[in-house]
């Protein structure tokens, strides 16, 4: 992949974002969700200013990142949980690094002081990506959910719980 740019996700990106989401779901190591949501569900559940896409030189969406709040309580303002997905055809080409770096920058500018993520331990690529961007392992949430589909169907799964605290907004 020679040239990738990062921009804000638009409603018109949804077909490509949904396809990439479905590719992640198919691996069995991206999410407990067994189907993609509708655009309306996705749009309603994600923070508008924290939805980004990676676009290649041809204008094709090759990755996306988005976040949701962890709580509606004011004390948790500035704490988000994020997701990042890269198209099968773009994995291993640095798209995830570009996307996550920009996502961190944009989130810090928006006042986010902690980004959380829960990743299956088998998803070594995602764990390495996050470690390279300053995420630390907080712990393992053992048997947090039972898979309903794919290669892990019927099995209880663990999540590695990660966080990244901002070096910009801090927690004075």
């Amino acid at each position: 992949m020679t040239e990738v740019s990062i921009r804000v996700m638009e409603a018109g990106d949804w077909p490509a974002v949904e396809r990439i989401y479905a590719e992640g779901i198919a691996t069995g190591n991206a999410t407990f969700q067994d189907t993609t949501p509708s655009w309306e569900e996705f749009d309603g559940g994600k923070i508008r200013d924290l939805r980004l896409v990676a676009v290649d030189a041809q204008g094709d969406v090759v990755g996306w990142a988005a976040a949701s709040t962890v709580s509606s309580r004011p004390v948790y303002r500035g704490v988000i949980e994020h997701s990042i997905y890269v198209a099968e055809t773009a994995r291993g080409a640095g798209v995830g690094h570009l996307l996550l770096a920009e996502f961190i920058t944009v989130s810090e500018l928006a006042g986010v002081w902690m980004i959380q993520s829960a990743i299956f331990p088998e998803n070594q690529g995602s764990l390495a990506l996050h470690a390279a961007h300053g995420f630390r392992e907080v712990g393992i949430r053992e048997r947090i959910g039972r898979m309903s589909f794919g290669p892990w169907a019927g099995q209880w799964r663990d999540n590695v719980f990660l966080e990244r605290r901002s070096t910009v907004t801090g927690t004075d």
Side-chain angles (χ1 to χ4, degrees):
M1 189 139 309
T2 56
E3 185 181 325
V4 174
S5 60
I6 309 298
R7 65 169 172 76
V8 173
M9 183 187 297
E10 301 167 356
D13 295 322
W14 179 244
V17 168
E18 183 179 29
R19 177 185 48 75
I20 294 166
Y21 202 169
E23 290 173 359
I25 290 171
T27 69
N29 286 324
T31 180
F32 282 113
Q33 194 161 321
D34 60 356
T35 59
T36 59
S38 67
W39 166 250
E40 293 74 23
E41 292 168 324
F42 185 90
D43 185 45
K46 303 297 183 194
I47 302 166
R48 284 183 194 257
D49 295 338
L50 299 180
R51 298 187 306 206
L52 303 176
V53 291
V55 181
D56 68 13
Q58 291 73 44
D60 295 325
V61 173
V62 293
W64 62 270
S68 55
T69 58
V70 298
S71 175
S72 61
R73 294 174 57 195
V75 70
Y76 293 108
R77 186 176 33 248
V79 180
I80 60 170
E81 183 171 358
H82 85 297
S83 299
I84 183 166
Y85 285 74
V86 175
E88 285 179 16
T89 58
R91 291 183 193 150
V95 172
H97 285 285
L98 292 170
L99 192 53
L100 188 52
E102 183 66 14
F103 180 83
I104 290 167
T105 298
V106 170
S107 68
E108 288 179 340
L109 290 171
V112 169
W113 61 271
M114 187 191 311
I115 304 171
Q116 298 177 350
S117 192
I119 300 172
F120 291 119
E122 295 82 6
N123 193 341
Q124 291 294 305
S126 186
L127 290 171
L129 170 67
H130 285 82
H133 288 272
F135 284 77
R136 70 179 184 95
E137 183 177 320
V138 177
I140 304 291
R141 299 191 303 182
E142 296 177 354
R143 298 172 50 95
I144 189 80
R146 189 188 308 234
M147 290 297 281
S148 62
F149 68 95
W152 302 92
Q155 295 182 45
W156 287 95
R157 300 289 300 277
D158 296 346
N159 275 164
V160 179
F161 193 64
L162 305 175
E163 70 177 29
R164 182 186 190 284
R165 292 178 181 257
S166 172
T167 57
V168 175
T169 57
T171 53
D172 317 86

